[in-house]
Amino acid sequence: MRRSSPFWFSLALALALPVLSLAAPPKAPAAQRPVKRKKPFMFIMGDSNIWGHLGRQMQPSFEKMGWRVYRRGKPYSGLARPDFFDWIKKSPFLIKSLQPEAVVIMLGGNDAQVISPLTGEDAALIPWEDEARWVAEYERRVERLVAVLASGGATVYWLSPTNRKPIYARAAMRRIIPAQRRAVERTGLAVFVDTFELTSLPNGDYIASGEVNGHTIPYRYLDGIHLTPPGAVALRERLLPIIATCRVPTAVAVVEPDVLIEEGPVDVLVP
């Protein structure tokens, strides 16, 4: 067999070297640029109050104040039953996609029930009757969700559930709201707003009605829980000054490593 001449091999290598040296080096991945906006973004999220009249009243009010607002409401949702709707799983993608400067969240009215495991966790159900374990797990979830919502640098406002007519529901809020307050304040990442107090009379009863143009107008529907449009307007008027004047937390959010970004489109947003 005829062997290649060393001369021809050296010549071929010499001709190839200039070509290799002229090849463009691989480009480094472009750094993510901050979003340039004419208006700051606010994300309003939560349960049926946000899906319903309160969210519908707050959204245009904040827009008039100079915000661009996105609203995401899911009736019957909360933190106790992620098998129905998992805010902790869905929120990382929402925050990363929207990059809001402020987040207003209202949850808890549906949480007086058994706690089911978070997505990906192998844990037993925690019954409502097991108060100590229930409260500990609930506070852990509040802290975890606040960390996610604040991870992009947003100012987070956590609104507690409102006062309500049914005695059993009011008693349940006396466990849920203090747990929310403790967890939110422990993070140092959010402002806790007690809407139970804002919807209560001096004697502790819920505000059932109000005067509008000389007429008594109900602030709640027949269930004594959900706000009517006038009730939502009354609560909105109490909330706006509080949210507008709250100071931005100075702590830095640290998100647990197992809170992953959920891939997929942002669904059911109301721009």
Side-chain angles (χ1 to χ4, degrees):
M1 180 181 296
R2 185 179 178 182
R3 297 183 178 178
S4 300
S5 169
F7 170 78
W8 295 110
F9 177 78
S10 301
L11 179 60
L13 181 60
L15 292 174
L17 285 176
V19 177
L20 294 174
S21 63
L22 291 175
K27 293 182 178 180
Q32 185 176 1
R33 298 180 179 179
V35 178
K36 294 183 179 180
R37 296 168 172 163
K38 295 181 179 179
K39 296 182 178 181
F41 271 35
M42 174 180 287
F43 181 32
I44 303 178
M45 58 185 288
D47 54 24
S48 56
N49 278 305
I50 299 304
W51 178 82
H53 295 303
L54 182 59
R56 294 169 189 167
Q57 290 296 331
M58 289 199 299
Q59 182 170 350
S61 297
F62 282 117
E63 289 173 342
K64 290 179 181 178
M65 294 168 62
W67 293 88
R68 183 176 179 185
V69 180
Y70 281 84
R71 178 165 54 91
R72 171 69 161 106
K74 181 66 175 179
Y76 309 110
S77 68
L79 294 179
R81 295 293 303 275
D83 53 328
F84 167 68
F85 191 85
D86 194 339
W87 281 109
I88 293 177
K89 179 182 178 182
K90 293 181 180 295
S91 292
F93 179 75
L94 293 166
I95 296 301
K96 184 176 181 180
S97 301
L98 298 174
Q99 300 181 45
E101 281 80 12
V103 177
V104 178
I105 178 172
M106 188 179 203
L107 291 174
N110 303 307
D111 283 336
Q113 57 177 308
V114 64
I115 284 183
S116 63
L118 292 174
T119 303
E121 292 187 354
D122 184 14
L125 299 174
I126 302 177
W128 173 257
E129 294 74 18
D130 190 348
E131 183 171 353
R133 289 178 59 222
W134 195 99
V135 168
E137 174 59 18
Y138 192 76
E139 290 187 16
R140 182 178 79 93
R141 296 185 182 193
V142 173
E143 290 181 28
R144 189 169 176 179
L145 182 54
V146 168
V148 171
L149 300 180
S151 60
T155 304
V156 179
Y157 302 93
W158 188 290
L159 312 184
S160 78
T162 60
N163 198 348
R164 49 211 54 217
K165 180 180 180 180
I167 296 176
Y168 72 91
R170 192 182 308 173
M173 294 306 103
R174 299 195 184 281
R175 178 196 297 186
I176 291 172
I177 294 174
Q180 289 185 349
R181 181 190 294 273
R182 287 191 299 268
V184 168
E185 293 179 349
R186 194 157 52 236
T187 67
L189 298 169
V191 177
F192 183 81
V193 181
D194 191 344
T195 60
F196 188 96
E197 181 179 346
L198 294 178
T199 54
S200 297
L201 295 169
N203 64 0
D205 290 341
Y206 82 112
I207 300 176
S209 60
E211 294 293 324
V212 178
N213 297 326
H215 301 280
T216 300
I217 303 296
Y219 279 1
R220 304 295 177 99
Y221 286 108
L222 294 179
D223 62 3
I225 297 176
H226 290 92
L227 295 165
T228 61
V233 170
L235 180 53
R236 177 201 66 188
E237 292 305 302
R238 294 189 171 196
L239 284 173
L240 290 181
I242 296 174
I243 295 177
T245 57
C246 282
R247 300 181 64 181
V248 179
T250 57
V252 178
V254 178
V255 181
E256 296 183 27
D258 56 342
V259 178
L260 302 178
I261 298 298
E262 178 185 341
E263 299 297 337
V266 179
D267 58 335
V268 199
L269 286 172
V270 183

